[in-house]
Amino acid sequence: MADSSFDIVSKVDQQEVANAVNQAAKEISTRYDFRNVGARVELNGESISMAANSEERCKAVLDVLQTKLVKRGVSLKHLDYTHDGEPYASGKEYRLEAALKSGISSENAKKISKIIREEAPKTVKSQIQGDELRVTSKSRDDLQAVQQLLKGKDLDVALQFTNYR
């Protein structure tokens, strides 16, 4: 019998991010507590920028955005904040930038591979292939055990399991 396998990837669904940003922008434009504070949220390619005239309002914009992202099924682990997630003053307003992370860094791939090597059944093998991992085994049950193992771990990257065969 041939080996079964699946890929571990970390990809951002750009359409869902765009939808979440648009929903957040719409809510910000209609909410009473955001009137006359210059609050806005924008998607600029691979980054999201938020702005308001006070630090608290900027954090509230972030909260609205995070809520919309979670509702659309986008993990908050895909966001990489500048200035440690704290709004910074830029002229008369406060800004906050968040870049979208996709792909598994080599450092995180090594961590995941080590977890699989140490805690998964011994028949399971993993290979790092660029910004993703391929996991193979003779037993599909072992592969499902690896998926459950990784879902239970608190990793600093959002994982999806694809190409299951």
Side-chain angles (χ1 to χ4, degrees), residues 116-117 119-125 137 141-143 145-146 149:
I116 292 170
R117 217 175 27 255
E119 299 180 32
K122 296 300 175 201
T123 61
V124 177
K125 303 290 180 226
S137 176
D141 292 339
D142 289 349
L143 292 179
V146 169
L149 170 72

Side-chain angles (χ1 to χ4, degrees), residues 55 59 62 80-88 95-97:
E55 191 172 349
K59 286 182 180 179
L62 174 63
D80 186 21
Y81 301 103
T82 58
H83 301 286
D84 298 325
E86 291 298 316
Y88 61 93
R95 292 178 178 233
L96 184 59
E97 305 283 328

Side-chain angles (χ1 to χ4, degrees), residues 62-145:
L62 174 63
D63 185 48
V64 170
L65 175 68
Q66 287 177 338
T67 303
K68 298 300 179 187
L69 286 169
V70 169
K71 281 186 180 177
R72 300 216 54 100
V74 178
S75 174
L76 297 180
K77 293 179 181 180
H78 286 299
L79 297 178
D80 186 21
Y81 301 103
T82 58
H83 301 286
D84 298 325
E86 291 298 316
Y88 61 93
S90 174
K92 291 184 176 181
E93 66 182 8
Y94 284 84
R95 292 178 178 233
L96 184 59
E97 305 283 328
L100 295 171
K101 293 188 295 187
S102 65
I104 301 173
S105 69
S106 62
E107 174 186 314
N108 284 327
K110 287 176 185 173
K111 279 185 199 173
I112 294 168
S113 186
K114 183 177 179 190
I115 290 170
I116 292 170
R117 217 175 27 255
E118 291 176 353
E119 299 180 32
K122 296 300 175 201
T123 61
V124 177
K125 303 290 180 226
S126 64
Q127 291 177 300
I128 299 172
Q129 297 178 335
D131 62 350
E132 59 185 47
L133 265 85
R134 163 102 7 116
V135 180
T136 57
S137 176
K138 294 221 180 275
S139 167
R140 288 182 174 227
D141 292 339
D142 289 349
L143 292 179
Q144 290 175 344

Side-chain angles (χ1 to χ4, degrees), residues 6 16 38 42 60 65 80 134-135 151 161:
F6 69 90
E16 291 297 334
E42 299 165 343
L65 175 68
D80 186 21
R134 163 102 7 116
V135 180
K151 285 179 183 176
F161 306 107

